[in-house]
Amino acid sequence: MSNLSSVEQIDLSSCMLGPSFPKWIQKLKSLNYLDIANTNISDTIPVEFWTLWPSQLTHLNLSSNNITGEVTYLSSNFNPNVISRIDLSSNNFYGSIPYVPSTLEWLDLSRNKLSGGIFFLCEVVDGQLSFLDLSDNSLTGQIPDCLWNFCWNLVNGY
């Protein structure tokens, strides 16, 4: 794998990578785009996964697997100068929804076991965010005013 250390983009969606989480991904230190959606992974995500690519990811798609684990602070993994997409939907992630990059355009955390409030999302809805799906989780608390404004702006084309 040493000859792959300079790889910046990987799309292995719908390939049979599972059932174990592919540990070799952690050796790809130059990644900015990672898509391993629908790859039959049924494993716990390594804790160190969330700190592998400081300030360089622009796209992360782990959707439609059976990945378990807690999602930590995502903001530090994403390039603050580039619009980003995160899709962790249809897994078994649990815990609070982590802070996300302010340059986020797409956030899909649906169909997980996430809990807690969503107040921090006010930091991203005033930015580039155009898609947000938090459905089928165990979220609690009030819907912040900023999300009502976000929905109104989407419906009215602002």
Side-chain angles (χ1 to χ4, degrees), residues 30-105:
S30 298
L31 274 185
N32 61 46
Y33 183 105
L34 177 60
D35 191 333
I36 54 173
N38 192 32
T39 54
N40 288 351
I41 297 171
S42 185
D43 198 3
T44 301
I45 195 164
V47 174
E48 60 274 9
F49 175 84
W50 303 113
T51 59
L52 289 176
W53 303 286
S55 298
Q56 50 186 81
L57 285 179
T58 60
H59 181 96
L60 177 63
N61 189 348
L62 306 179
S63 68
S64 301
N65 284 293
N66 190 24
I67 301 172
T68 302
E70 194 165 1
V71 182
T72 61
Y73 192 77
L74 289 173
S75 291
S76 61
N77 293 332
F78 284 81
N79 186 329
N81 301 314
V82 178
I83 294 174
S84 305
R85 289 178 163 238
I86 299 173
D87 189 344
L88 304 180
S89 64
S90 300
N91 280 291
N92 288 304
F93 290 116
Y94 58 84
S96 299
I97 296 177
Y99 283 92
V100 293
S102 60
T103 56
L104 206 54
E105 175 188 54

Coordinates of all heavy atoms in Angstrom, one line a residue, residues 30-105:
S30 N -3.3 11.1 1.9 CA -3.6 12.3 1.0 C -5.0 12.4 0.6 O -5.4 13.2 -0.3 CB -2.7 12.2 -0.2 OG -1.3 12.3 0.2
L31 N -5.9 11.5 1.1 CA -7.3 11.5 0.6 C -8.0 12.8 0.9 O -7.9 13.4 1.9 CB -8.1 10.4 1.4 CG -8.0 9.0 0.8 CD1 -9.0 8.1 1.6 CD2 -8.4 8.9 -0.6
N32 N -8.8 13.2 -0.1 CA -9.7 14.3 0.1 C -11.2 13.9 -0.3 O -12.1 14.6 0.0 CB -9.3 15.6 -0.7 CG -9.2 15.4 -2.2 OD1 -10.1 14.8 -2.8 ND2 -8.1 15.9 -2.7
Y33 N -11.3 12.7 -1.0 CA -12.6 12.2 -1.4 C -12.7 10.7 -1.1 O -11.8 10.0 -1.6 CB -12.7 12.5 -2.9 CG -14.1 12.0 -3.5 CD1 -15.0 13.0 -3.9 CD2 -14.4 10.7 -3.8 CE1 -16.2 12.6 -4.5 CE2 -15.6 10.3 -4.3 CZ -16.5 11.3 -4.7 OH -17.7 11.0 -5.3
L34 N -13.6 10.3 -0.3 CA -13.7 8.9 0.1 C -15.2 8.5 0.0 O -16.1 9.1 0.7 CB -13.2 8.7 1.5 CG -13.4 7.2 2.0 CD1 -12.6 6.2 1.2 CD2 -12.9 7.2 3.5
D35 N -15.5 7.5 -0.9 CA -16.8 7.0 -1.0 C -16.8 5.5 -0.9 O -16.3 4.8 -1.8 CB -17.5 7.4 -2.3 CG -18.9 7.1 -2.4 OD1 -19.4 6.1 -1.7 OD2 -19.6 7.8 -3.2
I36 N -17.2 5.0 0.2 CA -17.3 3.5 0.4 C -18.7 3.1 0.8 O -19.0 2.3 1.7 CB -16.2 3.0 1.4 CG1 -16.3 3.7 2.8 CG2 -14.8 3.0 0.8 CD1 -15.4 3.1 3.8
A37 N -19.7 3.8 0.2 CA -21.1 3.5 0.4 C -21.5 2.1 -0.1 O -21.0 1.7 -1.1 CB -22.0 4.6 -0.3
N38 N -22.4 1.5 0.6 CA -23.0 0.2 0.1 C -21.9 -0.8 -0.2 O -21.9 -1.4 -1.3 CB -23.9 0.5 -1.1 CG -24.7 -0.7 -1.4 OD1 -25.1 -1.5 -0.6 ND2 -25.0 -0.9 -2.7
T39 N -21.0 -1.0 0.8 CA -19.9 -2.0 0.6 C -19.9 -3.1 1.5 O -18.9 -3.8 1.7 CB -18.6 -1.2 0.7 OG1 -18.5 -0.5 1.9 CG2 -18.4 -0.3 -0.5
N40 N -21.1 -3.4 2.2 CA -21.3 -4.5 3.1 C -20.4 -4.5 4.3 O -20.0 -5.6 4.8 CB -21.1 -5.9 2.3 CG -22.3 -6.1 1.4 OD1 -23.3 -5.4 1.4 ND2 -22.2 -7.1 0.6
I41 N -20.0 -3.3 4.7 CA -19.2 -3.2 6.0 C -20.1 -3.4 7.1 O -21.1 -2.7 7.2 CB -18.4 -1.9 6.0 CG1 -17.4 -1.8 4.9 CG2 -17.7 -1.8 7.4 CD1 -16.8 -0.4 4.8
S42 N -19.8 -4.3 8.0 CA -20.6 -4.5 9.2 C -19.6 -4.6 10.4 O -19.3 -5.7 10.8 CB -21.4 -5.8 9.1 OG -22.2 -6.0 10.2
D43 N -19.2 -3.5 10.8 CA -18.1 -3.4 11.8 C -18.1 -2.1 12.6 O -18.8 -1.2 12.2 CB -16.7 -3.5 11.0 CG -15.5 -3.9 11.9 OD1 -15.7 -4.2 13.1 OD2 -14.4 -4.0 11.3
T44 N -17.3 -2.0 13.6 CA -17.1 -0.8 14.3 C -16.1 0.1 13.7 O -15.0 -0.5 13.3 CB -16.8 -1.1 15.8 OG1 -17.8 -1.9 16.4 CG2 -16.6 0.2 16.6
I45 N -16.4 1.3 13.4 CA -15.4 2.2 12.8 C -14.3 2.5 13.8 O -14.5 2.7 15.0 CB -16.1 3.5 12.3 CG1 -15.1 4.2 11.4 CG2 -16.5 4.4 13.5 CD1 -15.9 5.3 10.6
P46 N -13.0 2.4 13.4 CA -11.9 2.7 14.3 C -12.0 4.1 14.8 O -12.2 5.1 14.0 CB -10.6 2.5 13.4 CG -11.1 1.7 12.2 CD -12.5 2.0 12.0
V47 N -11.7 4.3 16.0 CA -11.8 5.7 16.6 C -10.8 6.6 15.9 O -11.2 7.8 15.6 CB -11.4 5.6 18.1 CG1 -11.4 7.0 18.7 CG2 -12.4 4.8 18.9
E48 N -9.7 6.2 15.5 CA -8.7 7.0 14.9 C -9.1 7.5 13.4 O -8.5 8.4 12.9 CB -7.3 6.4 14.8 CG -7.2 5.1 14.1 CD -7.6 3.9 15.0 OE1 -8.1 4.0 16.2 OE2 -7.4 2.7 14.5
F49 N -10.1 6.8 12.9 CA -10.6 7.2 11.5 C -10.9 8.6 11.4 O -10.7 9.3 10.4 CB -11.8 6.3 11.2 CG -12.4 6.7 9.8 CD1 -11.9 6.2 8.7 CD2 -13.5 7.6 9.8 CE1 -12.5 6.5 7.4 CE2 -14.0 7.9 8.5 CZ -13.5 7.4 7.4
W50 N -11.6 9.2 12.5 CA -12.1 10.6 12.4 C -10.9 11.6 12.5 O -11.2 12.8 12.3 CB -13.1 10.8 13.6 CG -14.2 9.8 13.5 CD1 -14.5 8.8 14.4 CD2 -15.2 9.7 12.5 NE1 -15.6 8.1 14.0 CE2 -16.1 8.6 12.8 CE3 -15.5 10.4 11.3 CZ2 -17.1 8.3 12.1 CZ3 -16.5 10.0 10.5 CH2 -17.4 9.0 10.9
T51 N -9.7 11.2 12.7 CA -8.6 12.2 12.8 C -7.5 12.0 11.8 O -6.5 12.5 11.8 CB -7.9 12.1 14.2 OG1 -7.4 10.7 14.4 CG2 -8.9 12.4 15.3
L52 N -7.8 11.2 10.8 CA -6.8 10.8 9.8 C -6.4 11.9 8.8 O -5.3 11.9 8.3 CB -7.3 9.5 9.0 CG -7.2 8.2 9.8 CD1 -7.8 7.1 8.9 CD2 -5.8 7.9 10.2
W53 N -7.4 12.7 8.4 CA -7.2 13.6 7.3 C -7.4 15.0 7.7 O -8.4 15.7 7.3 CB -8.0 13.3 6.1 CG -7.8 11.9 5.6 CD1 -6.7 11.4 5.0 CD2 -8.6 10.7 5.9 NE1 -6.8 10.1 4.7 CE2 -8.0 9.6 5.3 CE3 -9.9 10.6 6.5 CZ2 -8.6 8.3 5.3 CZ3 -10.4 9.3 6.5 CH2 -9.8 8.2 5.9
P54 N -6.6 15.6 8.6 CA -6.9 16.9 9.1 C -7.0 18.0 8.0 O -6.1 18.1 7.2 CB -5.7 17.2 10.0 CG -4.7 16.2 9.8 CD -5.3 15.1 9.1
S55 N -8.1 18.6 7.9 CA -8.4 19.8 7.0 C -8.2 19.4 5.6 O -7.9 20.3 4.8 CB -7.5 21.0 7.4 OG -7.8 21.4 8.7
Q56 N -8.5 18.2 5.2 CA -8.4 18.0 3.7 C -9.6 17.3 3.1 O -9.7 17.4 1.9 CB -7.1 17.2 3.4 CG -6.8 15.9 4.2 CD -5.5 15.4 3.9 OE1 -4.4 15.8 4.4 NE2 -5.4 14.3 3.0
L57 N -10.4 16.6 3.8 CA -11.6 16.0 3.1 C -12.6 17.0 2.6 O -12.8 18.1 3.1 CB -12.3 15.1 4.1 CG -11.7 13.8 4.5 CD1 -12.6 13.1 5.5 CD2 -11.5 12.9 3.3
T58 N -13.1 16.7 1.4 CA -14.2 17.5 0.8 C -15.5 16.6 0.6 O -16.5 17.1 0.5 CB -13.8 18.1 -0.5 OG1 -13.5 17.0 -1.4 CG2 -12.6 19.0 -0.3
H59 N -15.3 15.3 0.6 CA -16.4 14.4 0.4 C -16.2 13.1 1.2 O -15.1 12.5 1.2 CB -16.4 14.0 -1.1 CG -17.6 13.1 -1.5 ND1 -18.8 13.6 -1.9 CD2 -17.7 11.7 -1.4 CE1 -19.6 12.5 -2.2 NE2 -18.9 11.4 -1.9
L60 N -17.2 12.8 2.0 CA -17.1 11.5 2.8 C -18.5 10.8 2.7 O -19.5 11.4 3.1 CB -16.8 11.8 4.3 CG -16.8 10.6 5.2 CD1 -15.7 9.6 4.8 CD2 -16.6 11.1 6.7
N61 N -18.5 9.6 2.1 CA -19.7 8.9 2.0 C -19.5 7.5 2.6 O -18.8 6.7 1.9 CB -20.2 8.8 0.6 CG -21.6 8.2 0.4 OD1 -22.1 7.6 1.4 ND2 -22.2 8.4 -0.7
L62 N -20.1 7.2 3.7 CA -20.0 5.8 4.3 C -21.4 5.2 4.4 O -21.6 4.3 5.1 CB -19.5 5.9 5.7 CG -18.1 6.6 6.0 CD1 -17.8 6.6 7.4 CD2 -17.0 6.0 5.2
S63 N -22.3 5.7 3.6 CA -23.8 5.4 3.7 C -24.0 3.9 3.3 O -23.2 3.3 2.7 CB -24.6 6.3 2.9 OG -24.4 6.1 1.5
S64 N -25.2 3.4 3.8 CA -25.8 2.1 3.4 C -24.8 1.0 3.8 O -24.6 0.1 2.9 CB -26.2 2.1 2.0 OG -27.1 3.1 1.7
N65 N -24.3 1.0 4.9 CA -23.5 -0.1 5.5 C -24.1 -0.5 6.8 O -25.3 -0.1 7.1 CB -22.0 0.3 5.6 CG -21.3 0.3 4.3 OD1 -21.1 -0.7 3.7 ND2 -20.9 1.5 3.9
N66 N -23.4 -1.1 7.6 CA -23.8 -1.5 9.0 C -22.7 -1.1 9.9 O -22.2 -1.9 10.7 CB -24.2 -3.0 9.1 CG -24.9 -3.3 10.4 OD1 -25.5 -2.5 11.0 ND2 -24.8 -4.6 10.8
I67 N -22.2 0.2 9.8 CA -21.1 0.6 10.6 C -21.6 1.2 11.9 O -22.5 1.9 12.0 CB -20.3 1.7 9.8 CG1 -19.8 1.2 8.5 CG2 -19.1 2.2 10.7 CD1 -19.2 2.3 7.6
T68 N -20.9 0.7 13.0 CA -21.3 1.1 14.3 C -20.1 2.0 14.9 O -19.0 1.8 14.5 CB -21.4 -0.1 15.2 OG1 -22.4 -1.0 14.7 CG2 -21.8 0.2 16.6
G69 N -20.5 2.9 15.8 CA -19.5 3.7 16.5 C -20.0 5.1 16.7 O -21.1 5.5 16.2
E70 N -19.2 5.9 17.4 CA -19.5 7.3 17.7 C -18.8 8.2 16.7 O -17.6 8.0 16.4 CB -19.1 7.6 19.1 CG -19.7 8.9 19.6 CD -19.7 9.0 21.1 OE1 -19.1 8.1 21.8 OE2 -20.1 10.1 21.6
V71 N -19.5 9.1 16.2 CA -19.0 10.1 15.2 C -18.5 11.2 16.0 O -19.2 11.8 16.8 CB -20.0 10.6 14.2 CG1 -19.4 11.5 13.2 CG2 -20.7 9.4 13.5
T72 N -17.2 11.6 15.9 CA -16.6 12.7 16.6 C -16.6 13.9 15.8 O -17.2 14.0 14.8 CB -15.2 12.3 17.1 OG1 -14.4 12.1 15.9 CG2 -15.2 11.0 17.9
Y73 N -16.0 14.9 16.4 CA -15.9 16.3 15.8 C -15.4 16.2 14.3 O -14.2 15.9 14.1 CB -14.9 17.1 16.7 CG -14.9 18.6 16.4 CD1 -15.9 19.4 16.9 CD2 -13.9 19.2 15.7 CE1 -15.9 20.7 16.7 CE2 -13.9 20.5 15.5 CZ -14.9 21.3 16.0 OH -14.9 22.7 15.8
L74 N -16.3 16.5 13.4 CA -15.9 16.3 12.0 C -15.3 17.6 11.4 O -14.6 17.5 10.4 CB -17.2 16.0 11.1 CG -17.8 14.6 11.3 CD1 -19.1 14.5 10.6 CD2 -16.8 13.6 10.8
S75 N -15.5 18.7 12.0 CA -15.0 20.0 11.4 C -13.5 19.9 11.1 O -13.0 20.5 10.1 CB -15.3 21.1 12.3 OG -16.7 21.4 12.3
S76 N -12.7 19.3 12.0 CA -11.3 19.4 11.8 C -10.8 18.5 10.6 O -9.7 18.7 10.1 CB -10.5 18.9 13.1 OG -10.9 17.6 13.4
N77 N -11.6 17.6 10.1 CA -11.2 16.7 9.0 C -11.5 17.4 7.6 O -11.0 16.9 6.6 CB -12.0 15.4 9.1 CG -11.6 14.6 10.2 OD1 -10.5 14.7 10.7 ND2 -12.6 13.8 10.7
F78 N -12.3 18.4 7.6 CA -12.7 19.0 6.3 C -12.0 20.3 6.0 O -11.8 21.1 6.9 CB -14.2 19.1 6.3 CG -14.9 17.8 6.1 CD1 -15.1 17.0 7.2 CD2 -15.3 17.4 4.9 CE1 -15.7 15.7 7.0 CE2 -15.9 16.2 4.7 CZ -16.1 15.3 5.7
N79 N -11.7 20.4 4.7 CA -11.0 21.7 4.3 C -12.0 22.8 4.5 O -13.1 22.9 3.9 CB -10.7 21.5 2.8 CG -9.9 22.6 2.2 OD1 -10.0 23.8 2.7 ND2 -9.0 22.3 1.3
P80 N -11.6 23.8 5.3 CA -12.5 25.0 5.6 C -12.7 25.9 4.4 O -13.6 26.8 4.4 CB -11.7 25.7 6.7 CG -10.3 25.3 6.5 CD -10.3 23.9 5.9
N81 N -11.9 25.7 3.3 CA -12.1 26.6 2.2 C -12.8 26.0 1.0 O -12.9 26.6 -0.1 CB -10.7 27.0 1.7 CG -9.9 27.7 2.8 OD1 -10.4 28.6 3.4 ND2 -8.7 27.3 3.0
V82 N -13.3 24.8 1.2 CA -14.0 24.1 0.1 C -15.3 23.6 0.6 O -15.5 23.1 1.7 CB -13.1 22.8 -0.4 CG1 -13.8 22.1 -1.5 CG2 -11.7 23.3 -0.8
I83 N -16.3 23.7 -0.3 CA -17.7 23.2 0.0 C -17.6 21.6 0.2 O -17.0 21.0 -0.7 CB -18.7 23.5 -1.1 CG1 -18.8 25.1 -1.1 CG2 -20.0 22.9 -0.9 CD1 -19.6 25.6 -2.2
S84 N -18.2 21.1 1.2 CA -18.1 19.7 1.5 C -19.4 19.0 1.6 O -20.5 19.6 1.7 CB -17.5 19.6 2.9 OG -16.3 20.3 3.0
R85 N -19.3 17.6 1.4 CA -20.5 16.7 1.5 C -20.2 15.6 2.5 O -19.1 15.0 2.4 CB -20.8 16.1 0.2 CG -21.4 17.1 -0.8 CD -21.6 16.4 -2.2 NE -22.5 17.2 -2.9 CZ -23.7 16.8 -3.4 NH1 -24.1 15.6 -3.2 NH2 -24.4 17.6 -4.1
I86 N -21.1 15.3 3.4 CA -21.0 14.2 4.3 C -22.3 13.4 4.2 O -23.4 13.9 4.4 CB -20.8 14.7 5.8 CG1 -19.6 15.5 5.9 CG2 -20.8 13.5 6.7 CD1 -19.4 16.2 7.3
D87 N -22.1 12.1 4.0 CA -23.3 11.1 4.0 C -22.9 9.9 4.8 O -22.1 9.1 4.4 CB -23.6 10.7 2.6 CG -24.9 9.9 2.5 OD1 -25.4 9.5 3.6 OD2 -25.5 9.8 1.4
L88 N -23.5 9.9 6.0 CA -23.3 8.7 6.9 C -24.6 8.0 7.2 O -24.7 7.2 8.1 CB -22.7 9.3 8.3 CG -21.4 10.1 8.3 CD1 -21.1 10.5 9.7 CD2 -20.3 9.3 7.6
S89 N -25.5 8.2 6.3 CA -26.9 7.6 6.4 C -26.9 6.1 6.4 O -26.0 5.4 5.9 CB -27.8 8.2 5.4 OG -27.4 7.7 4.1
S90 N -27.9 5.5 7.0 CA -28.2 4.1 7.0 C -27.1 3.3 7.5 O -26.5 2.4 6.9 CB -28.5 3.6 5.5 OG -29.7 4.3 5.1
N91 N -26.7 3.6 8.7 CA -25.7 2.9 9.5 C -26.2 2.7 10.9 O -27.4 2.9 11.2 CB -24.3 3.6 9.5 CG -23.6 3.3 8.2 OD1 -23.1 2.2 7.9 ND2 -23.5 4.4 7.3
N92 N -25.3 2.5 11.9 CA -25.7 2.4 13.3 C -24.8 3.3 14.1 O -24.4 3.0 15.2 CB -25.5 1.0 13.8 CG -26.6 0.1 13.3 OD1 -27.8 0.4 13.4 ND2 -26.2 -1.0 12.6
F93 N -24.5 4.5 13.6 CA -23.8 5.5 14.4 C -24.6 6.0 15.5 O -25.8 6.1 15.4 CB -23.4 6.7 13.5 CG -22.3 6.4 12.5 CD1 -22.6 6.4 11.1 CD2 -21.0 6.0 12.9 CE1 -21.6 6.1 10.2 CE2 -20.1 5.6 12.0 CZ -20.3 5.7 10.6
Y94 N -24.0 6.2 16.7 CA -24.7 6.6 17.9 C -24.0 7.8 18.5 O -22.9 8.2 18.1 CB -24.8 5.5 18.9 CG -23.5 4.9 19.3 CD1 -22.8 5.4 20.3 CD2 -23.0 3.8 18.6 CE1 -21.6 4.9 20.7 CE2 -21.8 3.2 19.0 CZ -21.1 3.8 20.1 OH -19.9 3.3 20.4
G95 N -24.7 8.4 19.5 CA -24.1 9.5 20.3 C -24.7 10.8 19.7 O -25.6 10.8 18.9
S96 N -24.2 11.9 20.2 CA -24.6 13.2 19.7 C -24.1 13.5 18.3 O -23.1 13.0 17.9 CB -24.0 14.3 20.6 OG -24.5 14.1 21.9
I97 N -24.9 14.3 17.6 CA -24.4 14.7 16.3 C -23.2 15.6 16.5 O -23.3 16.6 17.3 CB -25.6 15.5 15.5 CG1 -26.7 14.6 15.3 CG2 -25.0 16.1 14.2 CD1 -27.9 15.2 14.6
P98 N -22.1 15.3 15.8 CA -20.9 16.1 16.0 C -21.0 17.5 15.3 O -21.8 17.7 14.4 CB -19.9 15.2 15.3 CG -20.6 14.6 14.2 CD -22.0 14.3 14.8
Y99 N -20.1 18.4 15.7 CA -20.0 19.6 15.0 C -19.5 19.3 13.6 O -18.7 18.4 13.4 CB -19.0 20.5 15.7 CG -19.6 21.2 16.9 CD1 -19.5 20.6 18.2 CD2 -20.3 22.4 16.8 CE1 -20.0 21.1 19.3 CE2 -20.9 22.9 17.9 CZ -20.8 22.3 19.2 OH -21.4 22.9 20.3
V100 N -20.0 20.1 12.6 CA -19.7 19.8 11.2 C -19.1 21.1 10.6 O -19.2 22.2 11.2 CB -21.0 19.4 10.5 CG1 -21.5 18.1 11.0 CG2 -22.1 20.5 10.6
P101 N -18.4 20.9 9.5 CA -17.8 22.1 8.9 C -18.8 23.2 8.4 O -19.9 22.9 8.0 CB -17.0 21.5 7.7 CG -17.4 20.1 7.6 CD -18.2 19.7 8.8
S102 N -18.4 24.4 8.6 CA -19.3 25.5 8.2 C -19.5 25.6 6.7 O -20.4 26.3 6.2 CB -18.8 26.8 8.8 OG -17.5 27.1 8.3
T103 N -18.6 25.0 5.9 CA -18.7 25.0 4.5 C -19.5 23.8 3.9 O -19.5 23.6 2.7 CB -17.3 25.0 3.8 OG1 -16.6 23.8 4.3 CG2 -16.5 26.2 4.1
L104 N -20.2 23.2 4.8 CA -21.0 22.0 4.4 C -22.1 22.4 3.4 O -22.9 23.3 3.6 CB -21.6 21.4 5.6 CG -21.9 19.9 5.6 CD1 -20.7 19.1 5.2 CD2 -22.4 19.4 6.9
E105 N -22.2 21.6 2.3 CA -23.3 21.7 1.3 C -24.4 20.6 1.5 O -25.5 20.9 1.3 CB -22.7 21.7 -0.1 CG -23.8 21.7 -1.2 CD -23.2 21.4 -2.5 OE1 -22.6 20.4 -2.7 OE2 -23.5 22.3 -3.4

